[in-house]
């Protein structure tokens, strides 16, 4: 069951009216005339929106996220021809037969065929192993989240082995990695599992377990944040449609990290050198497709998220082969009921994870009684739509980490837990960390949890049009550095319990915006800003209840 519809009509404002309003606001800003309010229920248009329509790609507080998600925010996913039914490979909907081998055989057959849809009919299918999607253009489709159930009986510790942290200690990395439905390119998944079994705890991203699986394609000339084109030294190895990594290396004085935090005296005075976990995330890697090569000028499918400066040794590079064009649809993953584990000791009853995936998706999928719900790990340009986390309660309902960028999570629900939280457990919420940027959470119903940052300087992310019972807590090691970088925006957030923590962020996030939030106050976990001095953060239409127009910042940006 979903929380909201796909259309914006239920908000009293259509896509056409959003476009008309945005155009009118932009025209008013250009002529100096009074801006028109959106034609819906007497809402108010903030000054920040007027400013944004003039400079959408370079606004100092609001990031441009209008291209977030699968294929730049496509509203429909591909309907690939059916090439396999799991029953033909031995799956049985009796709730007792282990159907994981049959499902994985059907997926492998679809991969060998060059892609297609693997169908799972209504019923309950027991799985005693994880489900792996490692082939491009393969879709695993159930009959609907209310009709097809995969009943998972084992956790990732049992199936793969203990997974320690590369930063030391006794933590279980299954607390933030891996899924019982795991979308990752086959070779990358194989190398990750081999490293885990060898207890050589890996890096998880686009350049391999040791971050050494890449080579330079070309150097890049200086460019400004927001530019859609770059000039390269050598275009001979570039082609339209190719996915490349933009690689930026920090300098000894950490000016790249300062830039991610908005620059100025506060970030300049911050002590970066002892933030060892944060420093492990650089060089910074941003995957993007090339749309055009004309001489030495290369056009990208999204505008640059940061400046490109010569002191950061900017270059385009190769990467491990991505998973692309694949998805999971129309099913529920039900984990065998177990108590929630103590904090950071999760066994790995995890839901759906996308890793080293680009232009992939999840639609109409629920997970229940899991340790962690939906994960994006070094995943970019993916969409999670109509997803739901429920059952006994979980550690991370949603996590977005290890340099994940340009993803869209919309029409999502975090249900209230069905049993009280055990002692020594933690509840987070919609997490973002590890230099992840330009991700969007839109149209959400959070019956528990919070807007979690696990430090690691995430920047330029948007949460919009969300109702939240703000009762979770954020995490993050001190060695991971600041909670927020620049250009975080919280827009039209309905807080049902009056708690400010990590929702009203004008006192925490530099060069960021809080627009249209209910009246809230600080209690429970209270944070102090990481940076000294003026944060250059903006607060508008506070306190309000659902009055800001446009109501949904992401959808309005899509219409510009």
């Amino acid at each position: 069951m979903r929380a909201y519809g796909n259309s914006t009509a239920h908000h009293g404002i259509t896509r056409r009216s959003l476009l008309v309003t945005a155009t009118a606001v932009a025209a008013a800003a250009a002529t100096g005339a009074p801006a028109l309010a959106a034609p819906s229920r007497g809402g108010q248009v903030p000054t920040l929106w007027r400013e944004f329509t003039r400079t959408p790609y370079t606004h100092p507080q609001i990031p441009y996220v209008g291209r977030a998600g699968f294929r730049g925010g496509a509203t429909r996913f591909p309907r690939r021809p059916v090439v396999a039914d799991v029953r033909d490979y031995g799956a049985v909907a009796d709730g007792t037969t282990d159907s994981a081998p049959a499902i994985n055989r059907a997926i492998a057959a679809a991969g060998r065929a060059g892609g297609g849809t693997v169908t799972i009919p209504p019923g309950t299918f027991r799985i005693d192993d994880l489900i792996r999607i490692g082939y491009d253009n393969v879709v695993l489709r159930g009959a609907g989240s209310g009709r097809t159930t995969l009943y998972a009986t084992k956790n990732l510790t049992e199936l793969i082995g203990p997974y320690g942290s590369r930063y030391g200690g006794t933590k279980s990395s299954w607390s933030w990695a891996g899924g019982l439905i795991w979308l990752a390119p086959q070779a990358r998944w194989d190398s990750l599992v081999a490293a885990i079994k060898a207890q050589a705890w890996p890096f998880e991203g686009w350049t391999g377990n040791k971050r050494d699986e890449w080579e330079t394609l070309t150097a890049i000339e200086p460019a400004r944040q927001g530019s859609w084109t770059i000039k390269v030294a050598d275009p001979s190895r570039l082609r339209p449609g190719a996915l490349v990594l933009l690689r930026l290396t920090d300098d000894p004085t950490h000016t790249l990290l300062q830039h991610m935090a908005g620059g100025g005296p506060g970030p300049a005075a911050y002590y970066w050198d002892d933030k060892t976990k944060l420093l492990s995330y650089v060089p910074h890697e941003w995957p993007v497709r090339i749309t055009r090569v004309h001489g030495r000028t290369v056009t990208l499918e999204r505008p640059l998220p940061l400046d490109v400066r010569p002191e950061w040794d900017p270059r385009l590079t190769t990467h491990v082969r991505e998973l692309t064009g694949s998805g999971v649809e129309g099913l529920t993953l039900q984990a065998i009921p177990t108590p929630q584990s103590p904090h950071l000791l999760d066994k790995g009853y995890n839901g759906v994870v996308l890793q080293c995936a680009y232009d992939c998706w999840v639609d109409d999928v629920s997970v229940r009684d899991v340790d962690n719900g939906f994960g994006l790990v070094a995943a970019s340009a993916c969409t999670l739509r109509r997803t739901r986390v429920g059952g006994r309660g979980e550690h991370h309902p949603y996590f977005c980490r290890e340099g994940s960028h340009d993803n869209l999570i919309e029409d999502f629900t975090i249900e209230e837990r069905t049993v009280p939280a055990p002692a020594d457990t933690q509840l987070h919420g919609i997490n973002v960390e590890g230099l992840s940027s330009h991700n969007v959470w839109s149209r959400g119903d959070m019956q528990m949890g919070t807007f979690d940052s696990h430090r690691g300087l995430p920047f330029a992310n948007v949460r919009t049009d969300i109702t939240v019972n703000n009762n979770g807590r954020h995490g993050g090691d001190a060695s991971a550095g600041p909670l927020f970088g620049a250009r975080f925006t919280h827009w039209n957030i309905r807080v049902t319990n009056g708690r400010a923590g990590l929702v009203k962020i004008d006192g925490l996030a530099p060069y960021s915006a809080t627009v249209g939030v209910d009246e809230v106050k600080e209690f429970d976990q209270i944070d102090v800003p990481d940076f000294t001095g003026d944060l250059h953060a903006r607060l508008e239409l506070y306190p309000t209840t659902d009055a800001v127009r446009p109501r949904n910042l992401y959808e309005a940006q899509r219409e510009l």
Side-chain angles (χ1 to χ4, degrees):
M1 180 178 178
R2 58 185 294 181
Y4 302 96
N6 274 332
S7 167
T8 58
H10 66 286
H11 294 321
I13 181 169
T14 65
R15 291 189 181 275
R16 180 178 179 85
S17 66
L18 272 172
L19 180 57
V20 170
T21 300
T23 304
V25 169
T31 62
L36 297 177
S40 68
R41 299 187 295 183
Q44 302 175 59
V45 178
T47 301
L48 275 162
W49 176 248
R50 300 187 184 105
E51 294 174 0
F52 180 84
T53 58
R54 290 198 298 266
T55 59
Y57 309 129
T58 58
H59 193 277
Q61 279 93 12
I62 298 178
Y64 176 72
V65 293
R67 297 280 293 167
F70 169 80
R71 291 187 181 173
T75 58
R76 294 184 180 181
F77 303 121
R79 304 296 290 179
R80 308 202 188 285
V82 174
V83 295
D85 184 312
V86 297
R87 292 172 296 185
D88 295 335
Y89 291 82
V92 181
D94 60 3
T96 58
T97 302
D98 178 16
S99 293
I103 295 171
N104 284 323
R105 285 195 297 268
I107 291 170
R112 291 192 298 270
T117 297
V118 175
T119 58
I120 311 178
T124 297
F125 295 82
R126 173 173 169 158
I127 56 171
D128 295 342
D129 197 357
L130 59 92
I131 303 301
R132 304 179 302 279
I133 300 178
Y135 304 90
D136 293 346
N137 303 315
V138 171
V139 180
L140 182 65
R141 181 185 299 149
S145 59
R147 303 182 67 201
T148 296
T149 298
L150 302 183
Y151 182 69
T153 63
K154 295 185 179 180
N155 58 59
L156 294 169
T157 301
E158 296 174 285
L159 297 171
I160 296 174
Y163 186 4
S165 170
R166 66 176 183 258
Y167 301 106
T170 59
K171 302 172 184 176
S172 167
S173 286
W174 297 128
S175 301
W176 55 76
L180 292 170
I181 300 177
W182 200 333
L183 290 81
Q186 189 66 47
R188 187 73 185 99
W189 190 85
D190 288 343
S191 70
L192 284 165
V193 170
I196 294 166
K197 289 183 175 180
Q199 297 190 3
W201 313 131
F203 284 91
E204 301 158 278
W206 288 101
T207 49
N209 295 342
K210 298 181 180 179
R211 297 196 75 185
D212 58 357
E213 296 179 40
W214 62 274
E215 58 182 276
T216 298
L217 295 170
T218 180
I220 310 171
E221 294 187 6
R224 298 299 300 273
Q225 173 204 321
S227 175
W228 293 72
T229 61
I230 54 175
K231 187 161 285 188
V232 301
D234 178 10
S236 62
R237 297 181 66 186
L238 307 179
R239 60 178 178 81
L243 185 70
V244 296
L245 288 187
L246 170 63
R247 179 183 174 93
L248 300 175
T249 303
D250 203 10
D251 62 13
T253 58
H254 304 298
T255 59
L256 175 59
L257 295 176
Q258 292 179 44
H259 177 52
M260 291 173 175
Y270 185 80
Y271 191 71
W272 302 94
D273 285 341
D274 65 346
K275 308 303 186 293
T276 52
K277 187 172 183 178
L278 173 62
L279 296 179
S280 76
Y281 297 135
V282 289
H284 183 56
E285 297 168 344
W286 180 61
V288 65
R289 287 200 196 279
I290 293 170
T291 60
R292 186 170 185 260
V293 180
H294 181 69
R296 293 196 301 121
T297 300
V298 176
T299 303
L300 307 174
E301 68 175 340
R302 290 176 174 82
L304 287 174
L306 297 163
D307 287 352
V308 172
R309 301 180 187 173
E311 57 264 36
W312 301 332
D313 188 23
R315 58 182 74 190
L316 298 182
T317 77
T318 62
H319 51 86
V320 297
R321 190 183 185 282
E322 73 274 13
L323 179 72
T324 189
S326 296
V328 180
E329 301 176 350
L331 57 84
T332 290
L333 175 71
Q334 168 70 61
I336 187 170
T338 58
Q340 186 177 349
S341 295
H343 190 222
L344 301 177
L345 296 178
D346 294 350
K347 296 180 175 66
Y349 290 106
N350 296 346
V352 183
V353 165
L354 292 81
Q355 186 161 3
C356 296
Y358 197 95
D359 280 336
C360 294
W361 73 92
V362 178
D363 184 29
D364 183 27
V365 173
S366 297
V367 297
R368 299 191 62 81
D369 296 326
V370 294
D371 293 337
N372 301 280
F374 294 88
L376 297 157
V377 181
S380 293
C382 296
T383 295
L384 277 59
R385 181 178 296 160
R386 299 190 298 166
T387 55
R388 178 177 288 263
V389 185
R392 50 89 156 150
E394 55 283 330
H395 182 189
H396 294 93
Y398 291 82
F399 56 94
C400 177
R401 49 178 296 271
E402 204 75 14
S404 291
H405 311 289
D406 305 300
N407 298 293
L408 171 63
I409 302 94
E410 64 179 355
D411 299 313
F412 66 94
T413 301
I414 302 173
E415 295 179 2
E416 186 175 357
R417 63 173 68 244
T418 55
V419 296
D424 300 322
T425 62
Q426 282 279 350
L427 165 66
H428 298 309
I430 50 176
N431 156 267
V432 62
E433 60 182 285
L435 298 184
S436 297
S437 71
H438 295 85
N439 301 289
V440 177
W441 290 261
S442 169
R443 295 200 306 265
D445 178 14
M446 297 176 59
Q447 297 165 24
M448 65 177 191
T450 193
F451 287 7
D452 172 39
S453 167
H454 262 47
R455 301 191 175 273
L457 197 68
F459 64 95
N461 297 284
V462 167
R463 283 103 167 215
T464 183
D465 197 4
I466 297 170
T467 300
V468 54
N469 177 29
N470 188 19
N471 63 358
R473 296 172 66 85
H474 77 76
D477 294 337
S479 65
L483 282 167
F484 300 101
R487 290 177 290 130
F488 248 84
T489 301
H490 291 170
W491 185 285
N492 188 21
I493 308 300
R494 301 169 292 275
V495 184
T496 62
N497 65 340
R499 179 175 170 230
L502 292 197
V503 173
K504 183 177 179 289
I505 56 173
D506 54 295
L508 291 175
Y511 287 93
S512 292
T514 303
V515 181
V517 176
D518 292 288
E519 185 171 6
V520 291
K521 62 182 179 180
E522 294 284 0
F523 60 88
D524 191 25
Q525 188 178 31
I526 300 174
D527 291 289
V528 297
D530 295 289
F531 303 110
T532 57
D534 186 356
L535 294 179
H536 301 280
R538 302 276 292 275
L539 178 67
E540 277 202 73
L541 297 185
Y542 174 79
T544 62
T545 303
D546 218 15
V548 60
R549 297 295 181 268
R551 191 178 200 260
N552 187 295
L553 180 61
Y554 166 73
E555 291 177 354
Q557 288 195 20
R558 289 278 299 158
E559 297 294 346
L560 281 178

